């Protein structure tokens, strides 16, 4: 495998991404259609943030290459971008999920 190939492992990447999507869809369904009180979209944001951190720590692989006196650390960029997006979305939902639900219900 060359340094440009990316191995998307199941437990480090696919499992948390799919779980994030399931949790997000379930929380939107509960808040907008089942109308169960509890700010589920906001609560899901905390779990989504944790899963984004999971991708950061277990999904990305670091490769250290020594060239002369220089140590180069190569990270796999797609993992870092996905984890950053997921953590960002989770943080926004965690902090402002209840306001988003109130705003969206006001538009309907």
């Amino acid at each position: 495998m060359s340094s440009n190939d990316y191995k998307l492992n199941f437990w480090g990447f696919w499992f948390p991404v799919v779980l994030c999507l399931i949790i997000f869809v379930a929380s939107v369904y509960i808040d907008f259609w089942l109308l169960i009180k509890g700010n589920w979209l906001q609560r899901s944001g905390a779990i989504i943030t944790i899963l984004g951190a999971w991708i950061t720590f277990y999904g990305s692989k670091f490769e250290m290459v020594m060239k002369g006196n220089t140590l180069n650390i190569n990270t796999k960029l797609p993992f870092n971008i996905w984890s950053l997006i997921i953590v960002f979305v989770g943080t926004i939902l965690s902090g402002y999920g209840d306001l988003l639900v109130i705003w969206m219900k006001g538009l309907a």
Side-chain angles (χ1 to χ4, degrees), residues 77-95:
L77 190 58
F79 291 108
N80 297 333
I81 291 172
W82 275 105
S83 64
L84 179 65
I85 290 169
I86 291 171
V87 167
F88 179 77
V89 168
T91 303
I92 295 297
L93 290 177
S94 180

Side-chain angles (χ1 to χ4, degrees), residues 24-79:
F24 176 75
V25 169
S27 66
V28 167
Y29 180 73
I30 289 171
D31 271 345
F32 289 102
W33 284 281
L34 295 182
L35 303 175
I36 297 173
K37 292 186 179 185
N39 296 330
W40 295 102
L41 186 63
Q42 185 175 12
R43 294 171 188 258
S44 72
I47 298 170
I48 291 170
T49 302
I50 292 169
L51 290 171
W54 178 276
I55 293 170
T56 300
F57 291 113
Y58 295 106
S60 62
K61 302 296 179 193
F62 299 96
E63 179 183 317
M64 292 189 218
V65 178
M66 190 72 171
K67 290 186 178 180
N69 292 333
T70 306
L71 177 63
N72 296 324
I73 300 175
N74 301 323
T75 59
K76 306 303 183 203
L77 190 58
F79 291 108

